[in-house]
Amino acid sequence: MIFRQLFEPESGTYTYLIGCRDSGLAVLIDPVCEMVDRDLSVLQQLGLTLTYTLETHIHADHVTSACRLRSLTGCKIAYPEMDGLACADIAVNEMNPLSVGSLILRPLFTPGHTDAHHSYLIDRPDASRVFTGDALLIDGCGRTDFQNGDAGTLYRSIHEKLFTLPDDTLVYPAHDYKHRHVTTVAQERERNPRVGGGKTLEQFIEIMANLDLPYPKQIDVAVPANRLCGDCRDEDTAARDPSCRALQG
Ligand SMILES: [Fe+2]
């Protein structure tokens, strides 16, 4: 397995490249529009062919590069089926494991941050990895006050789908704002200040209700653009990222 953790500093987003050594095929989880050139050059350096992009959810803080990558490479676009996006080629659900060459990614339905959010598990004897999107972050979790989010639902997703994984499963989140890269299931179960350490459902709901977070500055642009798989035809999005203009028309 070939693995890269890639970072976009403006939104603090991690994109994950997972490649199969045998087949030379790769997937990008949660790619960011502004980082297309970087991602294509990493693929080229590693000698990998992008077979599809894969989203954990419809993001509110950045625009996906899925549509641009499909235009440039001919890859497919995978999104949670429940999001119902006409632009997606692959409808993701828990019933259908995804493959990248000989690698298997198991979708885990983890709603609460958004109502269709999925995490992805690569189960391997040496090191299992779970890509948790915004469901579970390092010492945190995604907010639950937009996009049909719900704190109780997120608590159950984390406890039933993520905290039940083996202790040493590596947890790779979609964001970190403090230069941390990875954590483990056991560490978050024991120490996550919002949802770990034996926090009850009621305590978690109380914590989430009192976060007092600002309105996400990109949400009004990013969500509509991402519902088009990041197709940057609307003027606001194109203005943010000149490279997206190539797609217009
Ligand atoms: Fe998010």
Side-chain angles (χ1 to χ4, degrees):
M1 173 173 159
I2 298 168
F3 176 72
R4 287 282 190 281
Q5 183 181 40
L6 304 160
F7 188 63
E8 192 283 304
E10 191 67 30
S11 61
T13 300
Y14 283 125
T15 294
Y16 297 98
L17 182 155
I18 294 154
C20 167
R21 230 175 255 285
D22 304 331
S23 63
L25 297 176
V27 60
L28 281 168
I29 301 178
D30 291 335
V32 177
C33 191
E34 289 85 348
M35 307 308 280
V36 165
D37 292 342
R38 186 245 355 235
D39 294 347
L40 289 174
S41 94
V42 173
L43 285 161
Q44 190 178 25
Q45 283 163 18
L46 294 170
L48 295 168
T49 301
L50 184 64
T51 181
Y52 56 93
T53 61
L54 176 61
E55 306 285 337
T56 52
H57 64 295
I58 292 176
H59 300 278
D61 58 357
H62 68 268
V63 176
T64 176
S65 61
C67 199
R68 290 198 67 216
L69 287 166
R70 180 169 61 186
S71 297
L72 293 166
T73 71
C75 73
K76 294 193 181 312
I77 295 175
Y79 255 95
E81 184 171 30
M82 283 177 61
D83 283 319
L85 300 192
C87 55
D89 306 298
I90 301 169
V92 174
N93 60 56
E94 270 194 336
M95 300 296 109
N96 293 302
L98 299 159
S99 59
V100 184
S102 59
L103 302 171
I104 303 292
L105 280 75
R106 202 175 115 211
L108 304 173
F109 180 43
T110 48
H113 171 63
T114 72
D115 54 359
H117 188 289
H118 281 66
S119 302
Y120 301 105
L121 176 67
I122 299 183
D123 204 357
R124 287 170 67 86
D126 50 346
S128 292
R129 295 172 168 89
V130 64
F131 302 91
T132 54
D134 290 356
L136 181 63
L137 306 178
I138 300 171
D139 281 350
C141 64
R143 61 196 295 175
T144 54
D145 50 346
F146 290 101
Q147 297 181 279
N148 299 320
D150 180 78
T153 303
L154 182 58
Y155 184 91
R156 282 184 283 275
S157 291
I158 292 171
H159 277 264
E160 292 169 13
K161 298 287 178 69
L162 302 175
F163 283 177
T164 51
L165 296 171
D167 284 2
D168 290 338
T169 307
L170 298 170
V171 173
Y172 287 98
H175 295 288
D176 194 80
Y177 310 101
K178 296 182 180 173
H179 309 293
R180 297 165 299 192
H181 298 272
V182 63
T183 181
T184 66
V185 164
Q187 184 166 312
E188 294 312 310
R189 194 196 299 121
E190 288 159 19
R191 298 180 41 173
N192 189 297
R194 289 189 190 168
V195 68
K199 287 270 187 317
T200 65
L201 172 66
E202 291 72 25
Q203 287 172 318
F204 180 68
I205 290 172
E206 171 93 15
I207 288 169
M208 297 307 286
N210 291 293
L211 288 179
D212 200 23
L213 296 168
Y215 188 74
K217 56 182 189 223
Q218 296 296 342
I219 191 169
D220 294 327
V221 170
V223 169
N226 287 329
R227 293 200 66 84
L228 297 169
C229 296
D231 193 344
C232 306
R233 281 177 294 195
D234 78 278
E235 288 180 12
D236 286 348
T237 307
R240 278 179 61 246
D241 178 7
S243 61
C244 291
R245 289 186 192 132
L247 275 183
Q248 290 183 301

